[in-house]
Amino acid sequence: MEKISEDLLNIQANDLKHCLLLADLSLQELHQDCPSAIMQTYPHGTKIYTQGKHCNNLFCILSGQVKLARVNYDGDEFTTGFLTAGELFGPTLGTSESLASTDTATAKGSVSLWRVPTTEFRNLLLHHSALSMRVIEALARRQRQMERRLECFAFKHTEARLAETLRELSNGFNTRCEHGFGMHIRLSQQELADLVGASRPVISTILNKLRKTGVLNYNREYLCVRGIADIEHLIGK
């Protein structure tokens, strides 16, 4: 096995220290099973992979936010997911096949990722059962989240769906945003509306009401929220 320099180890260890998915693995263990894995930083707006194109890598978010979206035949984009630090994603996640990407992954703000070929990540899973369990648990959480979203679409009004969506998004944030709020989400009103399952004008009306109470602020590029409990209380969640 190729020896990793001490300086590189220190840099990578600092980058990986907040990634709970890989927390109990040493960098030497990661390098042994995933020699081609690299850490990359993507500027805001960069396409990590594109719908319809083949991508044989998986990605783990070390810091930042990633938007998943699909485009229909008319060119209309629909946001399908919003991922934060510690989450694993990629076109081949959960499959052994090399398939064309069904969505486009885009960096929202500056994003740091651990990128690994799918075949190498499978070797890592085979050699580390604890990691395999964490990946299974992460996929199960994502499935439950999708089930909750479907339930919300069927049974809850728009305000309640908005509160539920913001609660799910807030799980990836543990520091205050630069504007003095509790969390900073780089989502436009249309992207948020897609996740909530509502029209942009309806979401805009609700956000305007909440902004007047001082529990959140927003512009075209981001949304800042003081606390989910405040929003749930105000909209009767």
Side-chain angles (χ1 to χ4, degrees), residues 9-196:
L9 281 173
N10 290 335
I11 293 172
Q12 292 182 340
N14 184 64
D15 288 338
L16 287 171
K17 66 182 180 180
H18 298 302
C19 183
L20 297 180
L21 190 67
L22 307 172
D24 66 344
L25 298 176
S26 70
L27 290 170
Q28 293 288 0
E29 288 174 318
L30 289 174
H31 184 70
Q32 181 174 0
D33 285 317
C34 306
S36 303
I38 60 173
M39 297 179 195
Q40 286 185 307
T41 298
Y42 296 78
H44 174 59
T46 303
K47 298 291 189 296
I48 300 165
Y49 57 80
T50 305
Q51 179 178 333
K53 304 294 184 180
H54 282 264
C55 176
N56 295 320
N57 293 307
L58 293 177
F59 304 85
C60 185
I61 304 176
L62 304 179
S63 64
Q65 304 161 22
V66 173
K67 181 188 76 170
L68 302 179
R70 297 183 185 182
V71 176
N72 64 18
Y73 289 108
D74 295 326
D76 299 321
E77 182 181 275
F78 183 84
T79 301
T80 58
F82 193 74
L83 310 176
T84 56
E87 295 196 71
L88 185 69
F89 70 100
T92 58
L93 183 61
T95 178
S96 59
E97 301 179 66
S98 176
L99 302 173
S101 305
T102 57
D103 50 27
T104 294
T106 305
K108 299 291 282 186
S110 178
V111 177
S112 178
L113 300 177
W114 184 66
R115 190 187 77 185
V116 57
T118 304
T119 53
E120 294 183 6
F121 190 73
R122 291 199 195 101
N123 289 334
L124 189 67
L125 293 178
L126 288 173
H127 295 149
H128 299 278
S129 58
L131 173 63
S132 297
M133 287 304 301
R134 287 197 296 275
V135 170
I136 291 172
E137 290 167 356
L139 293 176
R141 284 195 300 271
R142 195 168 297 177
Q143 180 177 341
R144 289 195 299 271
Q145 183 184 70
M146 182 58 65
E147 290 170 351
R148 287 196 300 271
R149 287 183 64 188
L150 291 174
E151 182 181 359
C152 283
F153 291 164
F155 301 115
K156 297 185 179 181
H157 54 77
T158 305
E159 290 87 349
R161 298 203 304 269
L162 174 61
E164 184 72 21
T165 300
L166 291 176
R167 182 196 290 115
E168 290 177 352
L169 294 175
S170 70
N171 290 335
F173 298 82
N174 54 20
T175 57
R176 300 191 68 81
C177 76
E178 66 238 52
H179 307 101
F181 287 77
M183 61 178 182
H184 181 87
I185 307 173
R186 282 186 173 271
L187 278 176
S188 68
Q189 289 185 35
Q190 184 59 62
E191 291 164 345
L192 181 60
D194 289 344
L195 294 176
V196 172

